[in-house]
Amino acid sequence: MKVFHSVSEARELAGGAVALGNFDGAHVGHQALFAEARRHGPAAALTFNPHPGKVLQPELAPKLITLLPRKLELFEAYGLAAAVVQPFSREYARTPASAFEESLLDVLGARHLVVGSDFTYGAARSGTVATLREAAVQRGAQVHVVQPVTVDGVVASSSKVREYILEGRVAAAQKLLGRPFDLDGLVVPGAGRGRGIGFPTANVDTQNELRPAPGVYAIRVRLKEDSEGLWRPAVANIGVKPTFGGSVVTIEAHLLGYQGDLYGKELRVQFLERLRAEQRFGSVAELVGQIKRDVEAARTVIARADV
Protein backbone atom coordinates (compact mmCIF):
# COMPACT_ATOMS: atom_id res chain seq x y z
CA MET A 1 0.00 0.00 0.00
CA LYS A 2 1.30 3.43 -0.90
CA VAL A 3 1.32 6.11 1.79
CA PHE A 4 1.23 9.81 0.94
CA HIS A 5 1.89 12.43 3.60
CA SER A 6 -0.42 15.14 2.28
CA VAL A 7 -3.12 15.65 -0.31
CA SER A 8 -0.72 17.60 -2.52
CA GLU A 9 1.65 14.59 -2.67
CA ALA A 10 -1.10 12.22 -3.80
CA ARG A 11 -1.95 13.56 -7.26
CA GLU A 12 -1.31 10.18 -8.81
CA LEU A 13 -4.55 9.00 -7.20
CA ALA A 14 -6.52 11.24 -9.60
CA GLY A 15 -9.64 9.58 -10.92
CA GLY A 16 -9.89 7.14 -8.05
CA ALA A 17 -12.06 6.56 -5.01
CA VAL A 18 -11.25 8.00 -1.59
CA ALA A 19 -12.86 7.23 1.77
CA LEU A 20 -12.74 10.21 4.14
CA GLY A 21 -12.47 10.11 7.93
CA ASN A 22 -10.31 9.80 11.03
CA PHE A 23 -10.86 6.02 11.09
CA ASP A 24 -9.61 5.51 14.64
CA GLY A 25 -9.93 1.78 15.28
CA ALA A 26 -10.88 0.94 11.69
CA HIS A 27 -14.06 -0.64 13.06
CA VAL A 28 -16.82 -2.34 11.06
CA GLY A 29 -18.42 1.00 10.21
CA HIS A 30 -15.17 2.23 8.72
CA GLN A 31 -14.75 -1.08 6.92
CA ALA A 32 -18.10 -0.47 5.20
CA LEU A 33 -16.70 2.81 3.83
CA PHE A 34 -13.58 1.01 2.59
CA ALA A 35 -15.71 -1.64 0.89
CA GLU A 36 -17.82 1.03 -0.83
CA ALA A 37 -14.67 2.80 -2.04
CA ARG A 38 -13.29 -0.46 -3.44
CA ARG A 39 -16.48 -0.86 -5.49
CA HIS A 40 -15.34 2.12 -7.56
CA GLY A 41 -11.82 0.98 -8.39
CA PRO A 42 -8.48 1.09 -6.55
CA ALA A 43 -9.38 2.76 -3.26
CA ALA A 44 -7.58 5.06 -0.86
CA ALA A 45 -8.33 6.48 2.58
CA LEU A 46 -7.73 10.08 3.57
CA THR A 47 -7.07 10.46 7.28
CA PHE A 48 -5.53 13.08 9.55
CA ASN A 49 -2.51 13.12 11.84
CA PRO A 50 -2.55 14.06 14.64
CA HIS A 51 -6.17 13.28 15.44
CA PRO A 52 -8.02 16.62 15.22
CA GLY A 53 -9.08 16.32 18.85
CA LYS A 54 -5.45 16.27 19.95
CA VAL A 55 -4.95 19.65 18.29
CA LEU A 56 -8.22 21.44 18.95
CA GLN A 57 -9.08 20.18 22.45
CA PRO A 58 -6.06 18.32 23.80
CA GLU A 59 -7.44 18.21 27.34
CA LEU A 60 -10.57 16.44 26.07
CA ALA A 61 -9.00 14.43 23.26
CA PRO A 62 -9.86 10.73 23.17
CA LYS A 63 -7.30 8.03 23.79
CA LEU A 64 -6.59 6.53 20.39
CA ILE A 65 -7.67 2.97 19.69
CA THR A 66 -5.02 2.60 16.99
CA LEU A 67 -1.81 4.55 16.59
CA LEU A 68 -0.95 5.62 13.04
CA PRO A 69 1.34 2.67 12.11
CA ARG A 70 -1.32 0.16 13.16
CA LYS A 71 -4.06 2.12 11.41
CA LEU A 72 -2.11 2.04 8.15
CA GLU A 73 -1.53 -1.67 8.58
CA LEU A 74 -5.29 -2.17 8.94
CA PHE A 75 -6.01 -0.02 5.88
CA GLU A 76 -3.91 -2.39 3.83
CA ALA A 77 -5.50 -5.46 5.43
CA TYR A 78 -8.93 -4.13 4.44
CA GLY A 79 -7.97 -3.85 0.79
CA LEU A 80 -6.99 -0.22 0.34
CA ALA A 81 -4.37 0.52 -2.29
CA ALA A 82 -3.23 3.82 -0.77
CA ALA A 83 -3.52 6.10 2.24
CA VAL A 84 -3.24 9.87 2.40
CA VAL A 85 -2.15 11.10 5.82
CA GLN A 86 -2.95 14.80 5.88
CA PRO A 87 -1.12 16.78 8.62
CA PHE A 88 -3.62 18.46 10.94
CA SER A 89 -2.89 21.72 12.73
CA ARG A 90 -4.83 24.68 14.09
CA GLU A 91 -4.06 26.48 10.86
CA TYR A 92 -5.36 23.58 8.78
CA ALA A 93 -8.52 23.53 10.94
CA ARG A 94 -9.29 27.03 9.65
CA THR A 95 -9.41 25.80 6.05
CA PRO A 96 -12.69 26.97 4.48
CA ALA A 97 -15.02 24.21 3.35
CA SER A 98 -14.64 25.37 -0.26
CA ALA A 99 -10.85 25.03 -0.07
CA PHE A 100 -11.19 21.50 1.32
CA GLU A 101 -13.47 20.63 -1.59
CA GLU A 102 -10.89 21.99 -4.03
CA SER A 103 -8.10 19.97 -2.42
CA LEU A 104 -10.07 16.75 -2.84
CA LEU A 105 -11.65 17.31 -6.22
CA ASP A 106 -9.12 19.53 -8.02
CA VAL A 107 -5.75 18.85 -6.38
CA LEU A 108 -6.24 15.20 -5.51
CA GLY A 109 -8.60 14.69 -8.44
CA ALA A 110 -10.82 12.16 -6.71
CA ARG A 111 -13.87 11.12 -8.69
CA HIS A 112 -15.58 9.04 -6.01
CA LEU A 113 -15.73 10.33 -2.42
CA VAL A 114 -17.02 7.95 0.23
CA VAL A 115 -18.25 9.37 3.55
CA GLY A 116 -20.41 8.53 6.53
CA SER A 117 -23.83 10.13 6.81
CA ASP A 118 -22.65 12.55 9.53
CA PHE A 119 -19.48 13.68 7.74
CA THR A 120 -18.53 17.35 8.16
CA TYR A 121 -15.45 19.30 7.09
CA GLY A 122 -13.86 22.72 6.85
CA ALA A 123 -13.65 25.59 9.33
CA ALA A 124 -16.30 25.32 12.06
CA ARG A 125 -17.42 22.10 10.35
CA SER A 126 -19.40 24.21 7.94
CA GLY A 127 -19.17 21.67 5.15
CA THR A 128 -21.76 18.87 5.07
CA VAL A 129 -22.55 15.88 2.90
CA ALA A 130 -24.92 18.08 0.92
CA THR A 131 -22.31 20.77 0.17
CA LEU A 132 -19.71 18.13 -0.69
CA ARG A 133 -22.12 16.47 -3.09
CA GLU A 134 -22.89 19.79 -4.74
CA ALA A 135 -19.18 20.54 -5.20
CA ALA A 136 -18.61 17.04 -6.61
CA VAL A 137 -21.45 17.23 -9.10
CA GLN A 138 -20.06 20.51 -10.45
CA ARG A 139 -16.85 18.64 -11.28
CA GLY A 140 -18.35 15.44 -12.62
CA ALA A 141 -17.54 13.49 -9.46
CA GLN A 142 -19.76 11.50 -7.10
CA VAL A 143 -20.27 11.33 -3.35
CA HIS A 144 -21.29 7.97 -1.90
CA VAL A 145 -22.84 8.03 1.57
CA VAL A 146 -22.56 4.96 3.81
CA GLN A 147 -25.10 4.63 6.59
CA PRO A 148 -24.05 3.67 10.16
CA VAL A 149 -23.39 -0.02 10.77
CA THR A 150 -25.03 -1.62 13.78
CA VAL A 151 -24.01 -4.80 15.60
CA ASP A 152 -26.59 -6.36 17.92
CA GLY A 153 -28.44 -3.06 17.90
CA VAL A 154 -25.35 -0.97 18.77
CA VAL A 155 -24.00 1.56 16.27
CA ALA A 156 -20.34 0.94 15.55
CA SER A 157 -18.39 4.05 16.51
CA SER A 158 -14.92 4.82 17.76
CA SER A 159 -16.35 6.32 20.95
CA LYS A 160 -18.34 3.16 21.72
CA VAL A 161 -15.31 0.97 21.11
CA ARG A 162 -13.29 3.14 23.52
CA GLU A 163 -16.03 2.93 26.11
CA TYR A 164 -16.11 -0.86 25.95
CA ILE A 165 -12.33 -1.18 26.19
CA LEU A 166 -12.05 1.22 29.12
CA GLU A 167 -14.71 -0.85 30.89
CA GLY A 168 -12.80 -4.06 30.16
CA ARG A 169 -15.57 -5.30 27.85
CA VAL A 170 -13.12 -6.44 25.20
CA ALA A 171 -15.45 -9.12 23.81
CA ALA A 172 -18.06 -6.42 23.12
CA ALA A 173 -15.39 -4.20 21.56
CA GLN A 174 -14.37 -7.08 19.30
CA LYS A 175 -17.87 -7.21 17.79
CA LEU A 176 -17.65 -3.55 16.78
CA LEU A 177 -14.05 -3.78 15.59
CA GLY A 178 -14.61 -6.96 13.62
CA ARG A 179 -11.44 -8.35 15.22
CA PRO A 180 -9.98 -8.52 18.74
CA PHE A 181 -8.65 -5.30 20.24
CA ASP A 182 -4.85 -5.42 20.17
CA LEU A 183 -1.83 -3.46 21.26
CA ASP A 184 1.86 -3.69 20.45
CA GLY A 185 4.67 -3.57 22.96
CA LEU A 186 8.20 -4.41 23.95
CA VAL A 187 8.99 -6.96 26.66
CA VAL A 188 10.96 -5.26 29.42
CA PRO A 189 12.42 -6.59 32.70
CA GLY A 190 10.09 -6.74 35.69
CA ALA A 191 10.42 -7.73 39.33
CA GLY A 192 10.53 -11.45 38.49
CA ARG A 193 7.75 -12.38 40.92
CA GLY A 194 5.84 -14.38 38.34
CA ARG A 195 8.79 -16.66 37.66
CA GLY A 196 9.27 -17.07 41.40
CA ILE A 197 5.76 -18.51 41.84
CA GLY A 198 5.85 -20.70 38.74
CA PHE A 199 4.11 -18.38 36.28
CA PRO A 200 6.72 -16.32 34.42
CA THR A 201 5.30 -13.21 32.81
CA ALA A 202 6.34 -10.82 30.09
CA ASN A 203 6.06 -7.18 31.12
CA VAL A 204 4.68 -5.39 28.06
CA ASP A 205 5.77 -1.79 27.61
CA THR A 206 3.40 -0.23 25.08
CA GLN A 207 2.96 3.17 23.44
CA ASN A 208 -0.75 2.51 22.92
CA GLU A 209 -2.86 5.18 24.57
CA LEU A 210 -5.90 2.99 25.15
CA ARG A 211 -5.67 0.02 27.48
CA PRO A 212 -8.37 -2.23 28.91
CA ALA A 213 -9.59 -1.76 32.48
CA PRO A 214 -7.53 -3.47 35.21
CA GLY A 215 -8.24 -7.16 35.44
CA VAL A 216 -7.28 -10.59 34.17
CA TYR A 217 -7.81 -11.39 30.49
CA ALA A 218 -7.67 -14.33 28.12
CA ILE A 219 -5.35 -13.20 25.35
CA ARG A 220 -3.32 -14.33 22.36
CA VAL A 221 0.23 -13.16 21.73
CA ARG A 222 2.23 -13.02 18.50
CA LEU A 223 5.96 -12.35 18.43
CA LYS A 224 7.00 -9.87 15.74
CA GLU A 225 10.02 -12.03 14.88
CA ASP A 226 7.81 -15.07 14.25
CA SER A 227 7.73 -15.37 10.47
CA GLU A 228 4.83 -17.84 10.62
CA GLY A 229 2.63 -15.37 12.54
CA LEU A 230 1.78 -17.92 15.23
CA TRP A 231 -0.71 -16.75 17.85
CA ARG A 232 0.21 -18.16 21.26
CA PRO A 233 -2.38 -18.68 24.01
CA ALA A 234 -1.78 -16.57 27.10
CA VAL A 235 -3.35 -14.90 30.11
CA ALA A 236 -2.72 -11.27 31.05
CA ASN A 237 -3.01 -9.18 34.17
CA ILE A 238 -3.47 -5.43 33.93
CA GLY A 239 -3.11 -3.61 37.22
CA VAL A 240 -0.93 -2.78 40.19
CA LYS A 241 -0.47 -6.31 41.63
CA PRO A 242 -2.10 -5.44 44.98
CA THR A 243 -1.06 -8.72 46.63
CA PHE A 244 2.53 -7.49 46.39
CA GLY A 245 1.70 -3.89 47.33
CA GLY A 246 2.23 -2.46 43.87
CA SER A 247 1.22 1.05 42.83
CA VAL A 248 2.11 1.28 39.12
CA VAL A 249 -0.24 -0.15 36.49
CA THR A 250 1.50 -2.72 34.29
CA ILE A 251 0.53 -5.22 31.61
CA GLU A 252 1.91 -8.70 32.24
CA ALA A 253 1.37 -11.69 29.96
CA HIS A 254 1.94 -15.35 30.84
CA LEU A 255 2.33 -17.36 27.64
CA LEU A 256 0.93 -20.84 28.18
CA GLY A 257 3.54 -23.50 27.63
CA TYR A 258 6.12 -21.09 26.22
CA GLN A 259 9.79 -21.83 26.88
CA GLY A 260 12.37 -19.16 26.14
CA ASP A 261 13.57 -15.65 26.87
CA LEU A 262 11.21 -12.88 25.78
CA TYR A 263 13.21 -9.88 27.00
CA GLY A 264 13.64 -7.26 24.30
CA LYS A 265 11.17 -8.92 21.92
CA GLU A 266 8.35 -7.04 20.25
CA LEU A 267 4.93 -8.60 20.42
CA ARG A 268 1.27 -7.99 19.70
CA VAL A 269 -1.36 -8.78 22.30
CA GLN A 270 -4.97 -9.61 21.35
CA PHE A 271 -7.52 -9.29 24.13
CA LEU A 272 -10.29 -11.89 23.85
CA GLU A 273 -12.24 -11.79 27.11
CA ARG A 274 -12.01 -10.35 30.61
CA LEU A 275 -11.97 -13.20 33.12
CA ARG A 276 -12.20 -11.24 36.36
CA ALA A 277 -11.33 -8.00 38.11
CA GLU A 278 -7.95 -7.54 39.73
CA GLN A 279 -8.01 -8.42 43.41
CA ARG A 280 -5.78 -8.65 46.47
CA PHE A 281 -5.15 -12.09 47.95
CA GLY A 282 -4.32 -12.92 51.54
CA SER A 283 -1.31 -15.01 50.61
CA VAL A 284 0.86 -16.02 47.68
CA ALA A 285 -0.64 -19.52 47.89
CA GLU A 286 -4.13 -18.10 47.37
CA LEU A 287 -2.84 -16.09 44.41
CA VAL A 288 -1.22 -19.14 42.84
CA GLY A 289 -4.45 -21.12 43.21
CA GLN A 290 -6.40 -18.37 41.44
CA ILE A 291 -3.83 -18.07 38.66
CA LYS A 292 -4.23 -21.78 37.98
CA ARG A 293 -7.98 -21.29 37.64
CA ASP A 294 -7.39 -18.24 35.42
CA VAL A 295 -5.16 -20.29 33.13
CA GLU A 296 -7.81 -22.97 32.70
CA ALA A 297 -10.49 -20.35 32.05
CA ALA A 298 -8.24 -18.69 29.48
CA ARG A 299 -7.64 -22.00 27.71
CA THR A 300 -11.39 -22.45 27.33
CA VAL A 301 -11.90 -18.96 25.93
CA ILE A 302 -8.98 -19.24 23.51
CA ALA A 303 -10.05 -22.68 22.30
CA ARG A 304 -13.48 -21.27 21.54
CA ALA A 305 -11.94 -18.31 19.69
CA ASP A 306 -9.74 -20.59 17.61
CA VAL A 307 -12.65 -22.65 16.29
Side-chain angles (χ1 to χ4, degrees):
M1 184 183 74
K2 290 187 175 181
V3 179
F4 303 93
H5 297 285
S6 71
V7 169
S8 60
E9 288 184 7
R11 295 173 187 270
E12 68 183 73
L13 300 180
V18 180
L20 309 176
N22 288 314
F23 301 127
D24 185 28
H27 56 63
V28 294
H30 298 147
Q31 293 164 38
L33 269 71
F34 304 155
E36 176 63 24
R38 293 199 311 272
R39 289 183 60 244
H40 303 284
L46 170 64
T47 190
F48 305 95
N49 190 56
H51 187 287
K54 301 287 187 183
V55 175
L56 301 177
Q57 293 183 301
E59 69 283 356
L60 300 176
K63 293 183 177 180
L64 297 180
I65 304 165
T66 45
L67 298 181
L68 182 60
R70 178 63 172 139
K71 182 160 66 172
L72 294 176
E73 183 181 333
L74 289 167
F75 285 175
E76 185 170 23
Y78 294 134
L80 297 180
V84 183
V85 182
Q86 175 62 42
F88 193 92
S89 64
R90 286 188 175 275
E91 180 181 3
Y92 184 79
R94 292 191 287 270
T95 302
S98 59
F100 184 76
E101 294 161 2
E102 291 171 5
S103 71
L104 292 175
L105 297 162
D106 299 332
V107 178
L108 185 60
R111 284 297 168 263
H112 296 275
L113 299 176
V114 181
V115 299
S117 58
D118 59 351
F119 182 73
T120 58
Y121 60 95
R125 296 183 175 181
S126 58
T128 65
V129 171
T131 59
L132 184 63
R133 178 174 280 131
E134 181 180 353
V137 168
Q138 292 173 357
R139 295 165 171 84
Q142 291 180 275
V143 172
H144 308 272
V145 180
V146 176
Q147 297 303 313
V149 174
T150 61
V151 180
D152 296 336
V154 177
V155 175
S157 69
S158 299
S159 59
K160 196 64 179 179
V161 171
R162 290 187 201 100
E163 176 187 321
Y164 282 155
I165 293 170
L166 289 170
E167 293 175 348
R169 300 172 64 186
V170 294
Q174 177 174 342
K175 290 183 178 182
L176 299 187
L177 288 170
R179 63 181 190 282
F181 170 69
D182 60 53
L183 55 79
D184 296 331
L186 180 71
V187 178
V188 298
R193 294 192 184 97
R195 187 175 301 279
I197 61 175
F199 293 93
T201 60
N203 282 279
V204 183
D205 182 22
T206 180
Q207 298 301 309
N208 280 62
E209 297 180 3
L210 188 65
R211 305 174 190 188
V216 176
Y217 294 83
I219 65 170
R220 288 186 295 212
V221 173
R222 187 176 71 193
L223 304 182
K224 184 177 181 180
E225 66 181 28
D226 189 343
S227 60
E228 297 181 358
L230 174 67
W231 286 103
R232 303 174 185 273
V235 60
N237 182 82
I238 300 178
V240 298
K241 301 182 286 293
T243 303
F244 297 103
S247 59
V248 178
V249 175
T250 60
I251 302 175
E252 293 183 304
H254 170 63
L255 280 63
L256 308 185
Y258 181 81
Q259 300 292 326
D261 184 359
L262 289 170
Y263 290 135
K265 296 186 185 299
E266 295 180 60
L267 47 78
R268 175 164 293 163
V269 179
Q270 279 189 344
F271 291 86
L272 301 179
E273 188 172 308
R274 190 174 191 240
L275 302 177
R276 63 175 175 86
E278 187 180 42
Q279 63 189 95
R280 185 182 185 280
F281 294 92
S283 68
V284 172
E286 287 184 27
L287 171 62
V288 170
Q290 183 60 57
I291 292 175
K292 290 179 179 178
R293 291 189 288 274
D294 293 339
V295 166
E296 291 310 307
R299 290 187 190 278
T300 299
V301 170
I302 296 165
R304 186 168 62 242
D306 287 340
V307 172

